[in-house]
């Protein structure tokens, strides 16, 4: 007896719903094994995570505040992934966005105060866009592998940021970090820790949905992603679209950085590479590149992060456990996707196919 | 010398979903001879040989090696019986040495292979067969011809007595081909035998002792090479001449020149000869110009050059009297040139998008289906339903993903889109390839209808009866050149068959 994977005649609707659910259960089970090794009761731990993320208004606000940059990065990566352009550089594009806004805040002081924030936000989009556009142009013109370039450019961006906040742009006081942005240029708070950035990101979700699903350009991106050769035969320029998509993808990640620093950190300092760009990949992938579903996934992952931060205190677990549990979520999902287009068949050994 | 059959294939049949690749094929190979398998692309030559080396399992039939019935289920099994195959694509690791490649994957290889000993044996074998290969050189530094000799050396080292060569000369220069012929003759004199797959007739005459011809998966005849006096007989067997049906066609009434190709060449650095070699061709309004030829002789490159998908290195392409050489695909599309591409699944449709969306892929950018860059789904729905009805596309709904349709209906989807958006010029490449009789007829009739409406049509096809039935003129391509252009009434099967196989007009 052996197993054979067979192609289905059409995409299974049932599996499209079942796969994420079942893989979530499997990742919880896998997580339990890890937790048992650390002498923690899995049920208690998962309960503590949910508590840590939602049990008080403050915790809920904290989760939502974390969700904002995460969702930005998820949307950013999602655009590139539509074209099968594997942008794993949202982290660096996010950092460049923070550098962009900090530049405006620190050096464009001649601007009238009310313009600082909008110009700063715009600059974060531009910086992120350039950081995304470079690998886009390299891939479009010379077929340079985007995975390597975007990955490496993360570390370049982080290196530049470090140089700036440790040395070049360092505030006179303290041993790292730039001067705080002028208070008039901060993004205000709506409810506790939740700031007005949440409105921006939700508008972005709606706009992106519209652009990707209703416009000619969205139609072209869809064609390229699903069959670039056919798209080319229909007159769609692959080069141009890769570059435009990467400018926007990088721009949105940069915007995430700009908004988060204008609303939360108010400066460029250590911890700017907080991993939102990498977790954004999970957001994009789990949501099936759909902007609306991305919102739910981003909340879920943000909750997992805030929740597991609490584990350190309540369960006495190392803080890196959060990363372990997150990583375990993606694996079963990616592996399970095969069942949407394929089915498993058991055949007897004697039978010849 | 008494003839002993070393290989006997009896009644082999192999079916793939939807097609019969081989049906009831018998084949005998005697010791010390070269048997040529001749046939067009898709005639089933490679499938047949893949069964002999264990890459495919026959659905029916038996294989005998040296008189003993055998069950071959993997290339290892066939190698153990002394049967080895050299595929069109070489199976070599570029950054390893010749010797390393040759011992790679041997089951009884030591952890540290004794390369001194191996090299010595390779040099001896090389001398014996005039292969002239240094076992220590790195594969990437060798020419294609040398790499092929490495493949031969590999089979000899592993003890093969029966060698199968799949279109071995396709990648070789004429000089290298002669060299290969010498090597094969040498091997025969040492008691080995060979099967030689080809679709070129001249070569078959040069290389083989006997020829077996396959057509559409069936064996249609075997001849002693020395008894072949007229190439025409073989050509007829190879391409067949059974015209299935004739189609009604309006009077031939050509108009202005719509497409003019002047002295176009495409150099290609990876191949020994240019993809296109000084092509001159004209297509007028209201005429169908057919391009005959075995696949891979430049027909696809030509169609891609016209549609802007491939850059030309010299010459010019005029469309509607405007120089459109090396313009982008969208610029060509805006001249209202329609294109039915060679590979319908890879180039023609986006399988993971719906039939309706696939039908809209030319017109989504026009005001007919969108406004201010926003696509109007309601208009697409009406538009798609209209085309689905006119072209009788069989699909559950227009929202079904195109990849779930049958080949015929996928082709009808492409045809509907391209003909609907066509204004004056249509480039159709293998439009009826792999379709059943009904769908084939629909495709051909649609094309003729376009011609009667005054469209200039370039039709690339491998099927002679299709070309003879549909076209007004037929050009034959071979190795990137146009061998000849003639009126369809002068284009006899024998003549085209010879030109397709690279026989110059003077040699006939």
């Amino acid at each position: 007896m052996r197993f054979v994977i067979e192609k289905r005649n059409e995409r299974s609707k049932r599996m499209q719903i079942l796969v994420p659910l079942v893989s979530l259960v499997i990742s919880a089970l896998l997580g339990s094994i890890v937790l048992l090794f650390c002498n923690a009761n899995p049920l208690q731990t998962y309960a503590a995570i949910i508590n840590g993320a939602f049990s008080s208004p403050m915790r809920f606000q904290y989760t939502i505040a974390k969700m904002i940059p995460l969702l930005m990065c998820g949307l950013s990566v999602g655009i590139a992934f539509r074209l099968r352009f594997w942008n794993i550089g949202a982290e660096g594009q996010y950092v460049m966005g923070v550098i962009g806004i900090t530049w405006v805040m620190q050096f464009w002081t001649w601007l009238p105060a009310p313009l600082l924030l909008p110009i700063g936000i715009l600059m974060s989009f531009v910086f992120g866009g350039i950081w995304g556009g470079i690998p886009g142009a390299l891939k479009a013109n010379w077929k340079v592998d985007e995975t390597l370039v975007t990955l490496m450019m993360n570390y370049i961006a982080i290196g530049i940021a470090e140089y700036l906040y440790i040395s070049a742009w360092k505030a006179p006081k303290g041993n790292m970090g730039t001067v705080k942005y002028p208070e008039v240029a901060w993004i205000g708070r709506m409810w506790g820790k939740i700031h007005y950035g949440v409105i921006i990101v939700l508008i972005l979700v709606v706009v992106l949905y519209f652009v990707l699903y209703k416009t000619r350009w969205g139609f072209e991106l869809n064609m390229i992603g699903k069959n670039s050769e056919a798209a080319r035969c229909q007159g769609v320029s692959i080069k141009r679209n890769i570059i435009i998509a990467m400018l926007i993808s990088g721009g949105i990640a940069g915007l995430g950085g700009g908004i988060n620093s204008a609303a939360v950190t108010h400066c460029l300092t250590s911890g700017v590479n907080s991993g939102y760009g990498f977790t954004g990949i999970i957001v994009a992938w789990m949501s099936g590149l759909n902007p609306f579903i991305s919102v739910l996934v981003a909340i879920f992952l943000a909750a997992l992060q805030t929740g597991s931060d609490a584990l350190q205190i309540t369960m006495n677990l190392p803080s890196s456990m959060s990363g372990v549990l997150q990583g375990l979520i993606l694996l079963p999902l990616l592996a399970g996707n095969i069942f949407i287009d394929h089915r498993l068949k058991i055949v007897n050994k004697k039978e010849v196919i | 010398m008494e003839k002993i059959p070393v290989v006997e294939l009896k009644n082999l049949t192999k079916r793939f979903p939807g097609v019969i690749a081989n049906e009831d094929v018998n084949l005998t190979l005697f010791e010390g001879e070269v048997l040529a398998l001749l046939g067009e692309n898709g005639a089933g030559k490679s499938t047949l040989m893949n069964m002999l080396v264990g890459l495919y399992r026959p659905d029916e039939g038996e294989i005998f090696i040296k008189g003993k019935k055998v069950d071959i289920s993997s290339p290892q099994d066939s190698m153990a019986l002394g049967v080895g195959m050299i595929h069109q694509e070489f199976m070599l690791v570029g950054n390893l040495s010749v010797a390393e490649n040759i011992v790679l994957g041997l089951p009884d290889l030591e952890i540290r292979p004794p390369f001194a000993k191996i090299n010595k044996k390779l040099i001896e074998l090389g001398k014996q067969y005039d292969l002239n290969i240094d076992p220590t050189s790195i594969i990437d530094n060798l020419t294609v011809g040398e790499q092929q000799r490495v493949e031969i050396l590999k089979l000899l080292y592993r003890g093969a007595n029966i060698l199968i060569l799949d279109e071995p000369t396709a990648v070789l220069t004429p000089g290298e081909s002669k060299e290969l012929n010498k090597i094969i003759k040498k091997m025969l004199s040492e008691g080995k035998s060979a099967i030689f797959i080809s679709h070129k007739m001249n070569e078959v005459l040069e290389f083989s002792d006997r020829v077996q011809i396959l057509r559409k998966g069936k064996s249609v005849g075997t001849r002693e090479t020395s008894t072949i006096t007229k190439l025409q007989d073989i050509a007829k067997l190879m391409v067949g001449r059974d015209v299935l049906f004739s189609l009604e066609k309006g009077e031939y009434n050509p108009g202005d020149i719509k497409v003019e190709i002047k002295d176009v060449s495409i150099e290609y650095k990876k191949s020994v000869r240019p993809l296109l070699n000084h092509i001159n061709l004209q297509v007028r309004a209201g005429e169908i110009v057919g391009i005959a030829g075995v696949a891979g002789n430049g027909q696809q490159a030509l169609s891609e050059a016209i549609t802007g998908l491939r850059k030309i290195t010299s010459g010019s392409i005029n469309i509607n009297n405007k120089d459109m050489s090396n313009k982008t695909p969208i610029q060509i599309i805006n001249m209202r040139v329609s294109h039915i591409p060679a590979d319908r699944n890879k180039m023609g449709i986006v399988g993971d998008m719906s039939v309706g969306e696939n039908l809209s892929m030319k017109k989504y950018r026009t005001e007919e289906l969108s406004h201010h860059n926003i696509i109007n789904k309601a208009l697409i729905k009406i538009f798609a339903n209209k085309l689905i009805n006119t072209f009788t596309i069989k699909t559950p709904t227009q929202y079904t993903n195109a990849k779930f349709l049958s080949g015929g209906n996928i082709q009808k989807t492409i045809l509907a889109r391209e003909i609907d958006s066509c204004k004056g010029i249509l480039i159709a490449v293998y439009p009826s390839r792999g379709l059943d009789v009904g769908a084939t007829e629909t495709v051909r009739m649609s094309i003729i209808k376009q011609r009667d409406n005054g469209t200039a049509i370039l039709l690339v096809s491998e099927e002679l009866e299709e070309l003879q039935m549909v076209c007004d003129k037929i050009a034959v391509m071979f190795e990137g050149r146009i061998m000849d252009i003639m009126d369809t009434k002068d284009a006899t099967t024998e003549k085209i068959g010879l030109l397709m196989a690279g026989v110059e007009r003077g040699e006939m």
Side-chain angles (χ1 to χ4, degrees):
Chain A
M1 199 184 82
R2 67 202 175 94
F3 296 103
V4 174
I5 298 273
E6 195 182 72
K7 218 163 162 51
R8 289 179 192 273
N9 287 331
E10 53 188 302
R11 282 174 83 82
S12 162
K13 284 254 157 50
R14 206 164 60 110
M15 282 296 168
Q16 269 170 317
I17 300 164
L18 265 178
V19 164
L21 293 180
V22 173
S23 57
L24 206 60
V25 174
I26 293 174
S27 39
L29 289 175
L30 290 176
S32 305
I33 296 172
V34 180
L35 288 169
L36 285 173
F37 268 105
C38 300
N39 293 323
N41 179 332
L43 284 180
Q44 274 178 18
T45 313
Y46 286 121
I49 291 178
I50 296 170
N51 263 330
F54 297 114
S55 67
S56 74
M58 218 244 318
R59 284 173 173 167
F60 174 71
Q61 291 160 8
Y62 196 61
T63 300
I64 297 299
K66 252 197 149 76
M67 175 275 271
I68 297 167
L70 188 55
L71 179 54
M72 286 280 201
C73 290
L75 295 172
S76 148
V77 171
I79 295 173
F81 281 13
R82 274 185 173 264
L83 285 165
R84 311 205 146 255
F85 185 101
W86 307 121
N87 175 19
I88 51 175
E91 185 77 9
Q93 292 143 19
Y94 176 93
V95 170
M96 286 312 283
V98 179
I99 293 176
I101 192 172
T102 308
W103 182 47
V104 172
M105 294 290 181
Q106 198 152 344
F107 298 100
W108 292 31
T109 40
W110 43 268
L111 276 176
L115 280 183
L116 268 179
L117 181 62
I119 302 269
I121 293 282
L122 189 70
M123 196 58 74
S124 64
F125 185 90
V126 171
F127 270 50
I130 292 172
W131 219 243
I134 293 171
L138 289 174
K139 165 91 173 190
N141 288 311
W142 298 287
K143 297 198 168 72
V144 182
D145 184 77
E146 75 274 17
T147 336
L148 271 178
V149 178
T150 50
L151 181 67
M152 293 308 188
M153 283 179 70
N154 286 333
Y155 302 112
I156 300 174
I158 294 168
I160 296 174
E162 279 174 356
Y163 165 71
L164 292 176
Y165 68 69
I166 290 174
S167 163
W169 290 358
K170 191 180 81 70
K173 276 186 229 158
N175 51 13
M176 62 169 71
T178 61
V179 186
K180 292 263 179 213
Y181 306 157
E183 210 159 320
V184 287
W186 292 6
I187 292 178
R189 302 228 168 138
M190 287 168 65
W191 177 44
K193 285 202 169 289
I194 301 179
H195 52 82
Y196 283 98
V198 77
I199 309 264
I200 303 178
V201 74
L202 290 179
I203 291 174
L204 192 66
V205 167
V206 178
V207 170
L208 273 184
Y209 179 82
F210 182 79
V211 169
L212 295 175
Y213 289 82
K214 306 279 177 197
T215 63
R216 289 182 195 167
W217 190 60
F219 190 77
E220 289 180 356
L221 291 195
N222 207 4
M223 282 164 76
I224 296 176
K226 287 173 174 164
N227 185 348
S228 64
E229 192 52 31
R232 204 167 81 87
C233 286
Q234 295 303 318
V236 178
S237 165
I238 314 281
K239 275 186 186 183
R240 210 182 107 227
N241 280 309
I242 283 183
I243 295 174
I244 296 178
M246 274 313 290
L247 286 172
I248 295 178
S249 167
I252 291 176
L255 198 60
I259 288 174
N260 202 53
S261 55
V264 181
T265 56
H266 308 306
C267 67
L268 169 65
T269 185
S270 84
V272 61
N273 53 322
S274 44
Y276 291 126
F278 290 121
T279 316
I281 297 171
I282 309 184
V283 175
W285 207 253
M286 281 184 77
S287 67
L289 311 185
N290 180 314
F292 285 123
I293 300 175
S294 296
V295 179
L296 300 178
V297 178
I299 293 177
F300 171 73
L301 285 174
L304 187 64
Q305 274 188 10
T306 47
S308 27
D309 285 345
L311 290 183
Q312 237 175 318
I313 307 149
T314 52
M315 302 292 297
N316 241 333
L317 283 165
S319 62
S320 44
M321 189 54 81
S322 157
V324 174
L325 295 178
Q326 267 185 45
L328 286 175
I329 286 177
L330 201 55
L331 276 176
L333 186 77
L334 289 179
N337 272 340
I338 191 174
F339 293 111
I340 295 174
D341 274 335
H342 297 77
R343 67 163 63 93
L344 196 64
K345 235 178 101 177
I346 301 163
V347 292
N348 289 325
K349 203 174 179 180
K350 280 279 123 196
E351 194 184 331
V352 179
I353 24 152
Chain B
M1 187 177 77
E2 201 200 335
K3 282 187 173 177
I4 322 154
V6 283
V7 175
E8 269 188 288
L9 306 181
K10 288 192 176 160
N11 306 95
L12 284 195
T13 297
K14 177 73 190 170
R15 297 182 199 90
F16 292 113
V19 280
I20 300 177
N22 282 128
E23 192 178 358
D24 238 356
V25 179
N26 291 299
L27 178 148
T28 311
L29 176 72
F30 295 104
E31 194 174 286
E33 75 162 355
V34 177
L35 173 71
L37 267 186
L38 185 69
E40 295 183 287
N41 285 53
K45 299 166 297 196
S46 296
T47 310
L48 187 66
M49 289 302 107
N50 281 334
M51 288 195 278
L52 179 54
V53 295
L55 286 171
Y56 295 145
R57 279 189 86 98
D59 293 328
E60 285 160 35
E62 295 167 326
I63 298 174
F64 294 84
I65 305 276
K66 294 188 179 138
K68 255 178 65 188
K69 186 175 178 239
V70 290
D71 180 34
I72 302 175
S73 60
S74 73
Q76 281 77 23
D77 289 358
S78 68
M79 204 61 239
L81 294 162
V83 181
M85 180 158 171
I86 298 175
H87 297 267
Q88 280 179 32
E89 306 271 322
F90 300 148
M91 314 278 184
L92 296 171
V93 183
N95 51 7
L96 293 185
S97 75
V98 171
E100 283 165 338
N101 264 286
I102 284 172
V103 297
L104 197 66
L106 284 181
D108 50 357
L109 194 64
E110 289 140 68
I111 292 178
R112 279 193 58 205
F115 275 111
K117 231 169 83 189
I118 293 166
N119 287 351
K120 214 178 127 214
K121 194 177 166 196
L122 286 175
I123 292 170
E124 273 169 30
L125 266 177
K127 275 209 186 107
Q128 191 182 346
Y129 294 99
D130 295 332
L131 286 168
N132 199 14
I133 291 282
D134 175 6
T136 58
S137 41
I138 302 296
I139 295 294
D140 276 341
N141 299 337
L142 301 180
T143 65
V144 179
E146 287 169 327
Q147 289 185 15
Q148 190 174 55
R149 298 211 288 275
V150 175
E151 288 278 16
I152 295 175
L153 191 58
K154 181 157 90 183
L155 294 185
L156 294 172
Y157 182 85
R158 295 181 180 195
N161 287 313
I162 299 150
L163 285 91
I164 302 163
L165 301 121
D166 192 354
E167 309 239 356
T169 59
V171 291
L172 300 182
T173 60
E176 285 175 325
S177 294
K178 284 219 170 66
E179 199 81 350
L180 175 67
N181 195 7
K182 267 196 231 153
I183 294 166
I184 294 176
K185 292 273 141 69
K186 180 86 190 175
M187 290 193 298
L188 298 187
S189 67
E190 303 272 338
K192 316 235 175 220
S193 335
I195 297 176
F196 180 91
I197 303 179
S198 180
H199 60 249
K200 295 181 194 165
M201 264 180 267
N202 291 339
E203 220 172 73
V204 162
L205 292 183
E206 235 171 84
F207 280 67
S208 70
D209 301 304
R210 274 189 315 134
V211 188
Q212 177 160 5
I213 301 120
L214 292 187
R215 186 173 80 233
K216 292 186 177 160
K218 291 183 199 163
S219 177
V220 290
T222 309
R223 301 276 186 278
E224 297 282 332
T225 309
S226 54
T227 65
I228 298 172
T229 47
K230 276 167 75 188
L231 284 178
Q232 276 88 338
D233 300 339
I234 302 283
K236 210 191 285 178
L237 279 175
M238 184 170 112
V239 294
R241 60 172 337 196
D242 36 340
V243 176
L244 295 173
F245 33 66
S246 63
L247 295 168
E248 247 177 68
K249 215 161 106 176
E251 208 168 299
Y252 179 43
N253 197 1
D256 299 338
I257 297 174
K258 305 289 275 182
V259 182
E260 186 166 28
I261 297 160
K262 282 190 225 157
D263 206 30
V264 164
S265 293
I266 299 181
E267 303 284 342
Y268 190 49
K269 56 176 181 285
K270 279 185 195 157
S271 96
V272 289
R273 52 163 204 265
L275 284 178
L276 291 184
N277 197 347
H278 299 284
I279 298 282
N280 284 291
L281 192 70
Q282 293 175 347
V283 191
R284 290 168 180 275
E287 83 172 351
I288 303 178
V289 175
I291 306 271
V294 175
N297 277 293
Q299 304 95 308
Q300 203 176 331
L302 178 64
S303 67
E304 289 180 357
I306 300 172
T307 49
L309 294 166
R310 198 185 270 279
K311 295 252 177 287
I312 59 175
T313 24
S314 64
S316 73
I317 297 171
N318 286 2
I319 295 173
N320 290 334
N321 284 323
K322 259 179 79 180
D323 185 8
M324 297 300 283
S325 318
N326 288 335
K327 290 283 195 293
T328 60
I330 186 72
Q331 286 171 307
I332 310 281
I333 287 170
N334 287 339
M335 302 285 288
R336 309 305 290 269
V337 175
S338 283
H339 178 208
I340 297 170
D343 189 326
R344 68 180 72 105
N345 292 313
K346 281 195 191 131
M347 300 161 79
I349 58 152
V350 179
D352 283 319
M353 288 172 81
S354 72
V355 174
E357 286 171 317
N358 271 285
L359 286 168
S360 317
M361 278 176 188
K362 273 257 151 61
K363 286 200 167 165
Y364 73 92
R365 50 172 88 85
T366 65
E367 287 294 310
E368 200 174 327
L369 296 180
S370 62
H371 188 55
H372 290 312
N373 279 317
I374 296 158
I375 287 180
N376 188 329
K377 296 242 155 101
L379 288 180
I380 287 195
K381 191 183 161 193
I382 299 167
F383 171 77
N385 275 334
K386 191 187 82 192
L387 288 187
I388 287 171
N389 287 330
T390 350
F391 286 83
T392 57
I393 300 166
K394 276 201 201 99
T395 171
T397 71
Q398 61 161 292
Y399 304 109
T400 309
N401 278 356
K403 71 172 173 194
F404 297 121
L405 266 52
S406 70
N409 282 300
I410 286 179
Q411 192 68 333
K412 278 188 195 172
T413 305
I414 298 170
L415 202 67
R417 177 182 71 210
E418 299 299 329
I419 285 183
D420 169 74
S421 65
C422 180
K423 284 281 177 299
I425 297 167
L426 174 66
I427 313 291
V429 189
Y430 308 126
S432 63
R433 191 192 248 175
L435 301 185
D436 60 38
V437 179
T440 302
E441 201 177 28
T442 315
V443 169
R444 290 175 186 169
M445 286 198 316
S446 310
I447 290 174
I448 289 177
K449 202 173 144 205
Q450 285 305 301
R451 168 230 189 228
D452 291 347
N453 292 341
T455 303
I457 298 170
L458 188 73
L459 171 66
V460 176
S461 176
E462 285 172 314
E463 299 205 33
L464 287 194
E465 58 259 47
E466 173 166 282
L467 292 167
Q468 287 165 329
M469 204 184 304
V470 174
C471 298
D472 300 304
K473 281 182 188 165
I474 297 178
V476 185
M477 285 188 78
F478 177 74
E479 299 191 337
R481 284 182 300 145
I482 288 190
M483 302 289 284
D484 199 4
I485 305 177
M486 59 205 120
D487 287 340
T488 301
K489 60 179 185 329
D490 305 325
T492 59
T493 303
E494 289 84 357
K495 203 164 159 189
I496 298 183
L498 288 173
L499 289 166
M500 272 167 66
V503 182
E504 300 280 353
R505 248 195 325 173
E507 294 176 38
M508 280 181 201

